[in-house]
Amino acid sequence: FFLFLSLFIVLLFSSPKAEAQKFHGGATLGLVGSQVAGDTYSGYHKAGIFGGGFVNLELGKHSLLQMELTYFQKGSRENPDSTNNFTSYILRLNYVELPLLYQYKVKKWIFEAGPSLGFNIGYFEEYNGETEFNNNEPVAVTLQINFGIRYFITDHFGIDFRTNNSLLNIRQDNVTGDVWRFWGYGQFNDSLVFSVFYQFR
């Protein structure tokens, strides 16, 4: 992260005349639907919020590189229902995430993909009313992959739809129900994000 941040700063000050054309900043705010793959509760039932700021650099006519700093609520939820399911479960995970995205622009459309680091700044977990049932706490740092598409409604304002999926186990230890992903078993955050953004320049 600091390597890429340093690169942005160097590029920013190395060509002052091109700054207004190449660099853009903005803010984004949206809603999240999330689940935890491997916790046996399937479905994007946990709602959350997503918001932060971004800066991007034009690499060419169609290519951009974008860095973001966002607050991201994830987790999992299971509510009792009318099918003899009496389980009540809630996991709230709060992250600060640092995505680095490559974006490809076609007119008003942008297709984006890239990794992000997530830093756990707090969590809450409850199973059938018990809050101290699980000693297997979430890890402090996670790694995700992002894929998305955004559309400019005006020159400055637009909408964005993105998937955000963990690449590494979000728990300290493996548990029953863990699923396989890429190179190991574990529990993994899966999130769908719909947001609006405003690009200042």
Side-chain angles (χ1 to χ4, degrees), residues 4-25:
F4 285 108
L5 181 60
S6 300
L7 177 61
F8 265 75
I9 293 173
V10 169
L11 291 173
L12 177 63
F13 290 103
S14 64
S15 182
K17 293 182 180 179
E19 175 188 346
Q21 297 178 350
K22 292 189 175 181
F23 280 89
H24 309 278

Side-chain angles (χ1 to χ4, degrees), residues 85-178:
N85 176 21
F86 303 107
T87 300
S88 173
Y89 176 75
I90 180 69
L91 172 64
R92 299 188 182 101
L93 297 165
N94 301 307
Y95 293 98
V96 170
E97 285 206 13
L98 301 172
L100 178 65
L101 306 174
Y102 171 77
Q103 298 179 324
Y104 186 81
K105 185 176 182 180
V106 181
K107 296 183 179 180
K108 292 187 176 183
W109 295 92
I110 290 181
F111 302 90
E112 56 189 10
S116 61
L117 283 177
F119 299 89
N120 187 349
I121 60 173
Y123 83 100
F124 173 83
E125 189 171 18
E126 182 180 275
Y127 179 79
N128 289 336
E130 298 292 332
T131 59
E132 299 181 358
F133 74 96
N134 191 357
N135 294 322
N136 190 10
E137 297 183 355
V139 297
V141 181
T142 62
L143 177 66
Q144 290 71 229
I145 186 68
N146 300 271
F147 297 97
I149 183 171
R150 58 173 44 192
Y151 177 76
F152 277 89
I153 298 174
T154 69
D155 289 342
H156 297 280
F157 179 79
I159 57 176
D160 186 291
F161 178 77
R162 182 181 301 178
T163 65
N164 175 283
N165 304 96
S166 298
L167 296 176
L168 301 174
N169 188 2
I170 65 168
R171 295 282 190 179
Q172 294 180 359
D173 303 307
N174 291 93
V175 296
T176 301
D178 280 356

